[in-house]
Amino acid sequence: EIDGTPEECMAVLVDFEAYPRWSGPLTDAKILERDAAGRGRTVEFKLDMKLREIRYVLQYEYDPPRGATWHSVDGDVSSVTGRYQFEDLGKGRTRATCNQTIDLGFWVPGPIRRLAERQALRDSVTEFKTEVERRRKQ
């Protein structure tokens, strides 16, 4: 649960250029194509994976203020699909649910891969919540 409205959550979600300031491993985010509303439709990300930098490009579809879905269209990973869903709880609070599936395209031992995937999703959701709440206090 986030101290912020679904609209405030959407504002953080679509502010891709700001991601490297608040999302730990992201080093760059660049909008390659915008939709008719001016939101990022195709977005390139660079991620510091310690051993190497990973580049991937996601394409977004929006359902404001209820959330967005995305899928990979290019990059160093085989496949990324995901979704953020925002449920208005009233009184300026939102339940944010994030689902994401990643196929790295290269072999990583199962237990290590699952641990890394869970930790990455948990961290990204926690960082997202922190950023929405930080902006709300400004």
Side-chain angles (χ1 to χ4, degrees), residues 107-127:
W107 186 81
V108 176
I112 294 171
R113 185 187 74 245
R114 284 187 294 279
L115 177 64
E117 288 170 350
R118 278 194 304 271
Q119 185 66 42
L121 184 57
R122 188 177 317 117
D123 289 352
S124 70
V125 170
T126 300
E127 290 170 339

Side-chain angles (χ1 to χ4, degrees), residues 12 22-25 120 122-132:
V12 170
W22 58 265
S23 181
R122 188 177 317 117
D123 289 352
S124 70
V125 170
T126 300
E127 290 170 339
F128 180 82
K129 171 184 169 53
T130 299
E131 180 63 9
V132 172

Side-chain angles (χ1 to χ4, degrees), residues 3-74:
D3 287 325
T5 65
E7 292 81 7
E8 290 168 323
C9 292
M10 281 297 297
V12 170
L13 181 66
V14 302
D15 188 7
F16 296 106
E17 289 95 345
Y19 279 30
R21 291 194 295 272
W22 58 265
S23 181
L26 278 174
T27 60
D28 192 33
K30 182 178 3 174
I31 295 175
L32 303 177
E33 176 188 5
R34 294 184 183 273
D35 68 8
R39 300 171 296 216
R41 173 160 167 71
T42 307
V43 184
E44 177 184 61
F45 297 94
K46 292 183 181 168
L47 181 67
D48 180 5
M49 296 291 293
K50 303 298 179 212
L51 299 175
R52 69 181 250 205
E53 183 176 79
I54 302 280
R55 177 191 160 273
Y56 58 98
V57 178
L58 301 180
Q59 194 163 73
Y60 287 81
E61 298 289 329
Y62 300 100
D63 182 20
R66 292 182 291 275
T69 60
W70 58 88
H71 66 276
S72 56
V73 293
D74 192 22

